[in-house]
């Protein structure tokens, strides 16, 4: 009798786990953005470990045309890397960024929260407003808050869409100084004090940041550096 009850309980657990697999699979396929484990856990039967569900789905889809991947702090189905060429003709042309935009995006990613004046100080050249507009429109950069300094300039940071676009799970997956040197991204003689900071995209405002407030007031227009503007 005890064995029969145990078998019935095990069967019920297997059935609940199978249902959880179906639910998580459906949610991930239907979602346009990566979903976190916490979001998925709220949709499955109680007592089921969402981590085990995700691990099982990852295993099931490992050899298929789509794979389950961790991106932007969540999980999403993505075309298997070796089949990406099949969709190249259907995909939208990649957004082409100017060198200036790439430099600004990189500085924001590594130094956030950062103001326009701080970006210009690092680059050594003024940043055209259109450059930041392009990054904001792409959804890769967001307005965070206002620095507690004269003029109360706006601070910028990256978004989950930035992580998703570049296939990153977390912001600290960005390469460090040695990796950048190894790929040839940084060339020439390096100064002794050159360092690539550990990036941090914590959404909470820092001690030196205030909420944005009225966005219709000037945004650090008087904060530009003395250098010539980029193109």
């Amino acid at each position: 009798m005890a064995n029969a009850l145990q078998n019935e309980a095990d069967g019920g657990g297997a059935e609940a786990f199978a249902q959880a697999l179906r639910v998580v699979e459906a949610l991930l396929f239907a979602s346009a953005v990566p979903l976190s484990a916490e979001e998925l856990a709220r949709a499955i039967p109680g007592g089921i470990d969402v981590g085990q569900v995700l691990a099982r789905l990852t295993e099931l889809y490992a050899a298929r045309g789509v794979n389950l991947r961790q991106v932007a702090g969540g999980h999403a189905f993505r075309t298997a890397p070796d089949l990406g060429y099949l969709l190249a003709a259907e995909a939208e042309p990649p957004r082409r960024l100017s060198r200036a935009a790439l430099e600004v995006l990189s500085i924001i990613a590594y130094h956030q929260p950062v103001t326009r004046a701080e970006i210009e100080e690092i680059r050594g050249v003024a940043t055209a407003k259109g450059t930041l507009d392009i990054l904001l429109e792409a959804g890769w950069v967001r307005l965070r808050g206002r620095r507690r300094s004269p003029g109360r300039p706006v601070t910028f940071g990256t978004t989950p869409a930035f992580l998703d676009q570049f296939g990153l799970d977390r912001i600290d997956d960005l390469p460090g100084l040695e990796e950048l040197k190894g790929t040839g991204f940084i060339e020439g003689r390096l100064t002794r004090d050159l360092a690539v900071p550990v990036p941090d995209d914590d959404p909470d405002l820092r001690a030196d940041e205030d909420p944005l407030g009225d966005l219709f007031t000037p945004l650090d227009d008087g904060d530009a550096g003395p250098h010539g503007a980029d193109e």
Side-chain angles (χ1 to χ4, degrees), residues 25 28-30 56-70 76-84 86-87:
E25 181 182 35
L28 290 172
F29 266 115
R56 179 58 177 154
L57 281 176
T58 300
E59 179 183 356
L60 289 172
Y61 280 89
R64 297 188 181 181
V66 293
N67 302 148
L68 182 58
R69 293 179 52 194
Q70 285 186 252
F77 283 113
R78 294 289 184 264
T79 303
D82 61 315
L83 299 179
L86 294 172
L87 303 180

Side-chain angles (χ1 to χ4, degrees), residues 26-123:
L27 290 174
L28 290 172
F29 266 115
S31 178
V33 297
L35 298 177
S36 68
E38 292 75 16
E39 291 173 306
L40 295 168
R42 291 195 290 267
I44 62 177
I48 300 296
D49 185 345
V50 70
Q52 293 183 2
V53 173
L54 290 167
R56 179 58 177 154
L57 281 176
T58 300
E59 179 183 356
L60 289 172
Y61 280 89
R64 297 188 181 181
V66 293
N67 302 148
L68 182 58
R69 293 179 52 194
Q70 285 186 252
V71 289
H75 295 76
F77 283 113
R78 294 289 184 264
T79 303
D82 61 315
L83 299 179
Y85 71 94
L86 294 172
L87 303 180
E90 302 296 332
E92 294 183 9
R95 184 183 295 269
R96 295 189 180 276
L97 296 179
S98 66
R99 178 174 179 176
L102 285 172
E103 289 176 359
V104 170
L105 180 60
S106 299
I107 290 170
I108 292 173
Y110 279 99
H111 293 267
Q112 60 187 305
V114 61
T115 67
R116 178 177 170 181
E118 291 165 346
I119 293 170
E120 292 172 347
E121 182 179 356
I122 294 170
R123 294 185 65 219

Side-chain angles (χ1 to χ4, degrees), residues 104 114-123 125-130 132 147 153-156 219-225 229:
V104 170
V114 61
T115 67
R116 178 177 170 181
E118 291 165 346
I119 293 170
E120 292 172 347
E121 182 179 356
I122 294 170
R123 294 185 65 219
V125 64
T127 299
K129 183 177 182 298
L132 286 166
R147 182 81 78 209
V154 166
T155 55
F156 297 90
L219 304 183
D220 57 7
D221 286 338
D223 210 18

